[in-house]
Amino acid sequence: MIRLLSIVFLAGGPGAAGAQDLDAAAVQVLAGPCASCHGPDGRSPGAIPSIAGLPEATAAERMLAFRDGADPAATIMPRLMKGYDEAQIRALAHWFAEIGS
Amino acid sequence: MRATRRDMLLAMGAGMGTLALPQILRAQAAAHVAVVGGGFGGATAARYLRRLNPDLRITLVEPQEQFVTCPFSNLYLGRLRDWDSITHGFDGLRAAGIEVIHARAEDVDGSARSLGLSNGARLDWDRLVLSPGIDFRWGDLAGYDEAAAELAPHAWKAGPQTQLLRRQLEAMEDGGTFVMVVPQGAFRCPPGPYERASMVAHYFKTHKPRSRVLILDSQDRFAKQPLFRQGWQALYGEMIEWVGQSDDGLVVEVDASTRTALTAFGTRHKADVLNVIPPQKAGLIAERAGVTDETGWVPVRADRFESVHVPGVYVLGDATIAAPMPKSGFCANAQAKVAAAAITADLAGREPPPASFANTCYSLVGPGWGISVAGVYRAEGGKVVEVAGSGGVSPLEAGPEFRQAEADHGAGWYASICADIWGTA
């Protein structure tokens, strides 16, 4: 929890609206819909990549690239990531890194 | 700040002596959450409640021993999926420590906090989750009732009706016409009729190439319309004809015995296979629980999906008024996770965490040709709102690799969400 809050703090500043709400329970809710495509706890049984245990920095970078339209091969992730601010994205990256693969 | 149960317990214990204590202690030790409906909303709620608080007692009430999903049932009609692959049992939920009762929920007493079942049992609950799906407004469309559905299936609840429709398609002679009637008002799975038309056309193209598909629609626009039309043209040429309301698509009467649909302008369409998707409302138990409004659907508090009418009763999925979230399995799953977090927090005397939802709906236009719509939502001022700038549909100009990827992702989504809900894939 302390680590999570510190992540949020580091990611704060302009554009980080709602960051003050990001305690563990809030991040768990944010992460809820991820499982619907990436599998329970981010472990996918099918064609969509697993995200559990992805290194935090890699995952955050990837999600931010989706959001900013920097991945021309992406399909649905840009549309989804545009719904989250940077603090939320970094908190999600931390969440799935902590779960472990 | 509200008192926690623990504070209340201490205060009550001090005030009332020890007599009342054992009962209160029992409630505190193992709050009971009853969940009605084993589909995308209910089964998710049960599983996530268990994960969030292993001490809760959770009972899932679902009449069917096996749940057949509406998502991917169109692929069964198109012979791209077998029946077993869209059928899910409840062993995974039992293994997670959830009691599963196969009975129908008959009535809800919101004041006494109890639930009556078709097997005669009565369950007391501390919190109730209703995820009853849809029921049909039989009779709203003249000539279409439950008996008519045995001749002209709706197949809008997956199960025997879906199998009946497939048998009729298989029995149809090449050169026949499949007619689908799309209803007025809100209905489950907005892109569903058009995916179904696609899958029937795929079956015709591969087995009965002289046949045609006619969609008689009460709407003038439909979900993912440009994407569907592009795919239909590319894969099926002129096989699929769509008639919108303004062009005489509105069907006002059905004769199931002759498989005829009569439109508002007086045109009679004779079908070889007639598929009537009837007007809809929230599942009956929602009405009996007193949580529906005059529309027949259920208004909820957007930040937790608790009924605005009956405190302690949470309602999920297709039954709810949650626009701009569509009536989709993905949304029911997302709403269930928010409700599970809210219930867990509430039982512990905490405020629920901020709600956050997403939706992704894949439709298959043909093998290797998938399209999607997505959205991200949160609760604001008591309503569900779409996060500005998020979501939208697949690009119209995308190439075959993109369509193939979305077809693969659709299958991947199905495997993941079934694992997430029933523990099956």
Side-chain angles (χ1 to χ4, degrees):
Chain A
M1 173 81 109
I2 288 164
R3 284 185 61 189
L4 189 69
L5 288 172
S6 65
I7 292 282
V8 168
F9 176 73
L10 286 171
Q20 70 280 4
D21 295 323
L22 288 180
D23 60 11
V27 180
Q28 191 160 23
V29 168
L30 270 185
C34 305
S36 314
C37 289
H38 292 281
D41 290 324
R43 299 186 183 96
S44 169
I48 295 175
S50 289
I51 51 174
L54 279 185
E56 187 173 332
T58 313
E61 197 182 316
R62 190 105 177 86
M63 284 190 275
L64 290 168
F66 282 135
R67 192 188 65 162
D68 300 337
D71 183 344
T75 54
I76 205 157
M77 283 300 286
R79 287 174 263 159
L80 290 168
M81 285 299 103
K82 285 185 171 67
Y84 302 92
D85 65 29
E86 185 172 342
Q88 291 172 323
I89 285 175
R90 292 194 183 280
L92 286 169
H94 181 75
W95 181 264
F96 285 103
E98 288 285 287
I99 284 174
S101 52
Chain B
M1 170 150 177
R2 58 205 288 186
T4 63
R5 283 186 89 120
R6 192 183 182 81
D7 295 335
M8 281 169 54
L9 188 70
L10 291 171
M12 290 167 85
M16 304 187 321
T18 50
L19 261 180
L21 263 174
Q23 237 180 344
I24 298 167
L25 276 173
R26 217 165 25 244
Q28 167 80 1
H32 181 216
V33 183
V35 181
V36 173
F40 284 81
T44 303
R47 185 178 283 278
Y48 275 74
L49 282 163
R50 159 65 66 228
R51 290 172 57 130
L52 290 166
N53 182 354
D55 294 332
L56 288 178
R57 186 159 80 83
I58 302 160
T59 308
L60 178 67
V61 177
E62 162 60 47
Q64 305 173 87
E65 292 190 13
Q66 305 243 285
F67 188 87
V68 185
T69 63
C70 279
F72 280 59
S73 67
N74 287 329
L75 279 65
Y76 166 79
L77 295 175
R79 290 190 170 199
L80 294 173
R81 279 264 174 172
D82 65 24
W83 192 247
D84 286 349
S85 77
I86 58 169
T87 304
H88 305 274
F90 293 94
D91 288 348
L93 287 156
R94 287 194 179 91
I98 294 153
E99 186 187 356
V100 181
I101 299 177
H102 292 300
R104 208 171 38 252
E106 294 284 4
D107 70 272
V108 171
D109 186 332
S111 328
R113 301 212 157 180
S114 71
L115 171 71
L117 305 185
S118 56
N119 63 10
R122 268 208 99 71
L123 302 179
D124 292 324
W125 44 265
D126 296 292
R127 297 293 181 279
L128 176 67
V129 177
L130 298 178
S131 192
I134 54 155
D135 263 309
F136 300 122
R137 296 173 174 276
W138 297 114
D140 267 23
L141 174 61
Y144 198 70
D145 57 15
E146 284 174 275
E150 294 304 312
L151 302 169
H154 54 76
W156 217 243
K157 292 183 183 183
Q161 277 275 309
T162 317
Q163 293 171 305
L164 174 63
L165 181 55
R166 178 154 140 173
R167 283 198 304 276
Q168 290 189 353
L169 288 164
E170 286 171 347
M172 193 190 87
E173 302 271 341
D174 189 12
T177 302
F178 169 76
V179 176
M180 180 196 295
V181 177
V182 182
Q184 288 186 293
F187 59 84
R188 155 180 284 176
C189 190
Y194 316 99
E195 183 189 60
R196 176 171 293 176
S198 308
M199 290 294 96
V200 171
H202 167 70
Y203 169 64
F204 286 170
K205 182 181 170 181
T206 47
H207 292 82
K208 294 167 184 175
R210 295 188 300 111
S211 310
R212 55 192 284 267
V213 174
L214 174 64
I215 307 167
L216 299 173
D217 206 323
S218 68
Q219 323 175 91
D220 270 330
R221 286 183 305 154
F222 61 88
K224 308 179 199 169
Q225 183 168 351
L227 288 162
F228 272 114
R229 303 205 73 153
Q230 177 191 58
W232 290 346
Q233 187 62 44
L235 297 173
Y236 309 116
E238 303 303 313
M239 185 181 268
I240 301 175
E241 184 188 357
W242 175 77
V243 183
Q245 181 185 15
S246 307
D247 296 320
D248 197 19
L250 177 63
V251 170
V252 293
E253 190 176 343
V254 164
D255 183 344
S257 62
T258 59
R259 292 190 294 275
T260 306
L262 174 69
T263 67
F265 300 172
T267 311
R268 279 176 201 284
H269 294 277
K270 173 88 175 70
D272 295 287
V273 175
L274 179 59
N275 173 207
V276 179
I277 305 167
Q280 297 165 25
K281 59 181 181 177
L284 182 60
I285 191 66
E287 212 170 292
R288 290 187 176 165
V291 295
T292 52
D293 70 9
E294 68 286 353
T295 64
W297 303 102
V298 179
V300 289
R301 298 172 64 180
D303 63 339
R304 59 194 74 182
F305 276 69
E306 185 179 12
S307 161
V308 302
H309 295 311
V310 186
V313 178
Y314 293 70
V315 190
L316 308 172
D318 293 349
T320 62
I321 300 168
M325 291 186 90
K327 297 188 186 302
S328 74
F330 195 119
C331 286
N333 171 265
Q335 293 158 6
K337 291 169 186 173
V338 166
I343 291 168
T344 310
D346 188 37
L347 287 169
R350 296 190 307 264
E351 279 299 307
S356 176
F357 316 90
N359 177 55
T360 299
C361 283
Y362 289 102
S363 302
L364 198 66
V365 185
W369 192 300
I371 57 177
S372 65
V373 61
V376 179
Y377 310 88
R378 61 178 173 229
E380 224 171 76
K383 291 198 180 322
V384 177
V385 295
E386 185 157 8
V387 178
S390 77
V393 297
S394 315
L396 196 57
E397 68 279 8
E401 298 81 13
F402 195 102
R403 303 284 184 245
Q404 178 70 57
E406 294 221 292
D408 296 343
H409 292 164
W413 164 75
Y414 189 77
S416 284
I417 202 165
C418 292
D420 191 40
I421 297 172
W422 298 283
T424 54

